[in-house]
Each structure stands twice: as C-alpha cells, then as structure tokens.
Amino acid sequence: AQTVTQSQPEMSVQEAETVTLSCTYDTSENNYYLFWYKQPPSRQMILVIRQEAYKQQNATENRFSVNFQKAAKSFSLKISDSQLGDTAMYFCAFDRTLYGGATNKLIFGTGTLLAVQP
Amino acid sequence: DVKVTQSSRYLVKRTGEKVFLECVQDMDHENMFWYRQDPGLGLRLIYFSYDVKMKEKGDIPEGYSVSREKKERFSLILESASTNQTSMYLCASSPPEWKGTDTQYFGPGTRLTVL
C-alpha cells in the first residue's frame, strides 16, 4: 500500500530562523509526484512546492526548498527565514500512481502544525 | 487564478437529515474531489470524479454519495447524516494530468456539525 507519514504533529520556530518538516512515504512505483501544501488558520489550502521523482534536483520556491531522498523515500520541507505568515498546518502529499501513471489522486499525511514565534 | 468555491463555510444539521454540500470550480477542470479533514487523520478521499457523470469511490465512501451533472459542479450528499460525519469537508479540482506547475486546487472548506 502507498502511504505518507509525517511524524511531527507540531513544531515551533522563531521568526527569521530555519525549520525542517519531515515526510516519508512508501511506494513501489519508480516515477511519481510529491507535494507540500500549506493550510493557514481558517484559510484555503495552497500548494507550497512539488517535486517529480524522476528529477534529481531538489525543488525550490523562494524560501521553501525540499530535500528529496528517493532511495530513503524521504521528502522534507525546509523553510528559511521563517515569517509569521508561515504559521499554518503543512501537509505532505503523494500522487498514488498506478502502473507508472499518475492518477491525480493524492494521499495525504496527517499534517504538521507549525507555529512561528515573534 | 483558479477559484474553487463551496456553498457554505459552516453548516449545522440534525441526525438523519439529508445534507448537500456543493462545490463549483471555474477552471474547466476535468477532475474534482471530495475530502474530509479530521485532526490527526489528515485529509481522506471520499469520492473522485474525472468527468461529467463519472465517479469513483475513494478511501472512505461509506455514508456518502456524489453527483456531477455539469463539469464545473460536484456535489457531496450525506443521505442520512450521523454524528460521526461531523467534520471539515474540502473540495478540490485539478486538470487531468500533472503538467508544469499543476496541482489540486482547494476550496475554503465546509465545517459540518451533525447534532
């Protein structure tokens, strides 16, 4: 079965510091897509960053970057220069590919609640 | 920008009532999804639709049904609401393939309380 695990239910970081959120997944597929989503308090879920498994280079979006370790099936999110607006629930998600093809149906982890402290 | 809207932010219903949750997207996406979000459980897929009148069960379809008569609208139906269906319900849409920066786009959610 394909699964996603986020082992940190809550984290806290000081403003301007760096924090890393962990995510591991399990699949027997070789090519797939991984996502980090952000859900601010009482606001809509939005995409933070995505990674395609066949790409060796780690994805980066401004202050957000991933450390994608395919062999270890690990997909952590690093937030640099944390800002108060980064306070949110963060979900790791994985496209449940089938026979090598994307299904567009995502499996989500249980989330990490990140609090950025002033 | 993609916009996904849901008919209500908050809804309170009684046990046994029939409940309709509506979702509309304006990006002509083929795929639409209904999830429920519970603390400690993340998001779980209830139903998925990949075209008009086409639907597929997700991981937790029991107690729910869906309707997709038009491409832009996807409805979730609780035939007889129960207290264990108290939850946050999220709708999402996406194009059929992951191209470029494609992703699932989410609505604001409906927090349903069943008394």
Side-chain angles (χ1 to χ4, degrees):
Chain A
Q2 297 173 330
T3 59
V4 178
T5 301
Q6 292 179 253
S7 58
Q8 305 153 313
E10 295 185 22
M11 293 190 73
S12 181
V13 65
Q14 292 296 123
E15 201 174 2
E17 293 188 349
T18 296
V19 64
T20 299
L21 280 57
S22 301
C23 174
T24 58
Y25 58 93
D26 189 22
T27 182
S28 57
E29 297 286 334
N30 189 49
N31 192 29
Y32 43 86
Y33 294 83
L34 294 158
F35 304 82
W36 277 99
Y37 286 91
K38 170 186 178 181
Q39 187 180 41
S42 302
R43 294 182 63 186
Q44 268 164 270
M45 184 108 70
I46 57 172
L47 177 70
V48 175
I49 201 164
R50 59 175 256 175
Q51 174 83 41
E52 297 173 60
Y54 71 89
K55 290 186 176 178
Q56 300 292 332
Q57 190 172 7
N58 288 325
T60 300
E61 287 287 341
N62 301 313
R63 296 182 296 106
F64 299 88
S65 62
V66 299
N67 183 6
F68 174 49
Q69 302 286 331
K70 191 172 183 180
K73 297 180 182 175
S74 171
F75 182 60
S76 60
L77 175 69
K78 186 172 84 170
I79 306 174
S80 304
D81 186 26
S82 297
Q83 301 176 0
L84 296 177
D86 295 334
T87 291
M89 180 72 85
Y90 288 83
F91 290 98
C92 177
F94 168 84
D95 184 334
R96 57 185 93 188
T97 49
L98 186 64
Y99 308 124
T103 64
N104 287 58
K105 292 188 287 186
L106 299 179
I107 303 172
F108 285 83
T110 52
T112 296
L113 182 61
L114 177 68
V116 180
Q117 307 291 346
Chain B
D1 280 352
V2 175
K3 182 171 277 187
V4 180
T5 58
Q6 295 182 229
S7 50
S8 306
R9 288 302 301 270
Y10 300 94
L11 208 53
V12 180
K13 295 293 182 180
R14 298 261 176 216
T15 301
E17 279 192 78
K18 191 169 186 176
V19 181
F20 292 86
L21 303 182
E22 305 285 338
C23 175
V24 177
Q25 51 95 2
D26 66 358
M27 279 300 290
D28 202 36
H29 284 163
E30 284 79 1
N31 296 337
M32 295 189 75
F33 310 83
W34 274 107
Y35 296 92
R36 66 176 282 174
Q37 180 181 358
D38 299 289
L41 296 177
L43 277 71
R44 293 177 291 166
L45 182 64
I46 304 171
Y47 264 99
F48 162 59
S49 170
Y50 50 93
D51 204 347
V52 175
K53 295 190 186 294
M54 307 303 283
K55 61 186 179 184
E56 191 174 302
K57 291 181 180 178
D59 300 312
I60 51 164
E62 296 77 19
Y64 304 94
S65 62
V66 291
S67 172
R68 194 164 179 201
E69 297 297 318
K70 294 184 178 182
K71 191 175 185 180
E72 68 271 18
R73 189 179 297 270
F74 191 35
S75 302
L76 180 69
I77 303 158
L78 287 66
E79 295 289 343
S80 177
S82 64
T83 55
N84 62 13
Q85 292 178 311
T86 291
S87 186
M88 171 70 88
Y89 290 88
L90 296 178
C91 175
S93 73
S94 79
E97 296 176 357
W98 300 120
K99 292 180 181 176
T101 57
D102 284 335
T103 180
Q104 285 191 14
Y105 298 89
F106 286 84
T110 295
R111 186 166 294 282
L112 172 67
T113 302
V114 182
L115 301 176

